[in-house]
Amino acid sequence: MLETKLKAFLPLLIQHLFLYHYLSSLLPISMACNNKFTLDSVRDALIREEDSIVFSLIERARFPYNAPAYDPSFLGNGFSIAEFYVRGTESLQAKIGRYQKPEDVPFFPKDLPSPLPPTKYSQKVLLHPASASVTVNEAIWKFYFTELLPLFTTKGNDGNYASTVASDFVCLQAISRRIHSGKYVAEVKFTDAPQDYSPAISSKDRDKLMDLLTFVAVEEAVKKRVEKKARLFSQNVTLDENDSGKTQYKINPLVVSHLYDKWVMPLTKVVEVEYLLLRLS
Ligand SMILES: O=C(O)C(=O)C[C@]1(C(=O)O)C=C[C@@H](O)C=C1
């Protein structure tokens, strides 16, 4: 009985060991600790991304909502200024080698040009090859413009559309990179416990996978930390010793914890599940 079970598990184990050996020599330095890819080192990378997200929101909050920047009829070419800018910038960035790392995912992947000249980066950084197809950027685009922006910008229109959409793109890229880093989290969780994840992957049991990869205490800590970072990074600093006024924040710290609670962590988990479902292919 045990022998039959072992025989069934053997091909999986060989595939797993091969991929683990291959991947651990290829993963990004920022996520590797002493050349070892661990849950702690990946979580450290996610913590670092929090800074980028908070600072990008602070920059965007300098401008009011600026509705004309999102009006698809404004330029007369069928695109809003925001979409036109993101498409053009992604195309330029692809030419100089962006979008080869699994966590750098374009919002408009169709017809992106190849890098000039071809870079070597993609050969150094690889997860399971199927990971490239995992993207939740459509959902990110939607929640960012329709739900998040109105929460942290003031109503109004100051005509600064170019700066506004450039700031939007920095926010979108930071949020997307953090969420798609879920591919690394999923990989390390799988390599740490293939025996737990493999049955749920084989039976395509999304709920079970979601259950296995969820750590409620970690999520609570993340929400508290990002709120604290927003409080620290976005407060107005004065040198006036007698200033007993209420601290002013450039963005509401509660909006940042809400962003993580409602979108960033749930979508990271979707990325993890989708990655895992492809992990044994
Ligand atoms: O740290 C992990 O284990 C993750 O999977 C990342 C993350 C997050 O998005 O921050 C997502 C799911 C877990 O429940 C906890 C945290």
Side-chain angles (χ1 to χ4, degrees):
M1 180 69 178
L2 185 65
E3 203 177 293
T4 332
K5 273 196 172 166
L6 273 177
K7 267 191 192 154
F9 193 58
L10 207 58
L12 199 65
L13 191 67
I14 293 171
Q15 186 198 23
H16 167 64
L17 285 175
F18 169 75
L19 261 168
Y20 181 72
H21 177 74
Y22 178 59
L23 292 172
S24 45
S25 63
L26 297 171
L27 287 164
I29 237 53
S30 61
M31 300 213 188
C33 164
N34 296 333
N35 282 334
K36 234 185 146 243
F37 183 53
T38 65
L39 189 51
D40 281 348
S41 62
V42 178
R43 282 182 175 155
D44 282 347
L46 298 187
I47 291 172
R48 171 63 191 82
E49 289 292 341
E50 292 165 2
D51 301 7
S52 307
I53 291 177
V54 173
F55 283 119
S56 69
L57 298 177
I58 292 171
E59 281 303 293
R60 175 58 185 87
R62 291 169 58 205
F63 309 104
Y65 180 72
N66 278 338
Y70 312 112
D71 175 357
S73 64
F74 191 82
L75 288 177
N77 63 0
F79 298 116
S80 67
I81 304 178
E83 184 170 337
F84 190 62
Y85 178 80
V86 173
R87 283 179 181 274
T89 312
E90 285 194 337
S91 167
L92 183 63
Q93 292 192 343
K95 281 189 197 150
I96 57 164
R98 199 168 186 138
Y99 306 119
Q100 301 193 38
K101 294 191 275 180
E103 69 274 34
D104 279 342
V105 181
F107 285 87
F108 299 100
K110 267 199 201 144
D111 307 324
L112 271 188
S114 308
L116 303 167
T119 65
K120 289 200 186 113
Y121 200 81
S122 58
Q123 289 155 24
K124 281 192 216 142
V125 183
L126 282 178
L127 291 176
H128 188 282
S131 76
S133 66
V134 176
T135 170
V136 292
N137 269 349
E138 250 184 70
I140 296 174
W141 184 272
K142 195 157 172 243
F143 88 70
Y144 177 82
F145 288 111
T146 59
E147 296 185 71
L148 182 66
L149 254 188
L151 292 181
F152 75 99
T153 53
T154 54
K155 288 198 177 79
N157 174 6
D158 69 358
N160 254 318
Y161 308 139
S163 307
T164 296
V165 300
S167 305
D168 284 326
F169 188 45
V170 178
C171 294
L172 284 166
Q173 279 195 324
I175 293 170
S176 175
R177 191 169 50 244
R178 192 290 182 187
I179 289 173
H180 290 101
S181 296
K183 295 174 189 183
Y184 296 102
V185 187
E187 176 60 31
V188 82
K189 283 179 180 170
F190 178 83
T191 50
D192 280 352
Q195 70 286 359
D196 293 344
Y197 284 92
S198 299
I201 295 173
S202 302
S203 59
K204 299 189 177 19
D205 189 341
R206 286 188 153 79
D207 292 343
K208 177 75 185 161
L209 288 171
M210 194 58 97
D211 217 36
L212 284 168
L213 59 80
T214 296
F215 293 83
V216 176
V218 175
E219 293 186 19
E220 288 307 312
V222 170
K223 278 188 276 176
K224 278 195 191 136
R225 191 176 48 247
V226 293
E227 186 187 325
K228 188 171 179 183
K229 284 187 178 181
R231 220 172 273 288
L232 290 171
F233 301 165
S234 86
Q235 62 184 261
N236 281 329
V237 177
T238 74
L239 293 177
D240 183 356
E241 307 257 318
N242 304 318
D243 182 11
S244 55
K246 226 174 140 241
T247 310
Q248 302 277 322
Y249 299 106
K250 298 181 183 91
I251 46 166
N252 179 349
L254 292 177
V255 169
V256 183
S257 57
H258 180 67
L259 160 67
Y260 268 73
D261 187 32
K262 187 156 179 213
W263 297 295
V264 171
M265 293 195 291
L267 286 172
T268 301
K269 294 199 282 185
V270 170
V271 166
E272 289 185 44
V273 169
E274 295 309 315
Y275 176 84
L276 287 166
L277 287 172
L278 298 168
R279 182 58 176 75
L280 297 177
S281 55

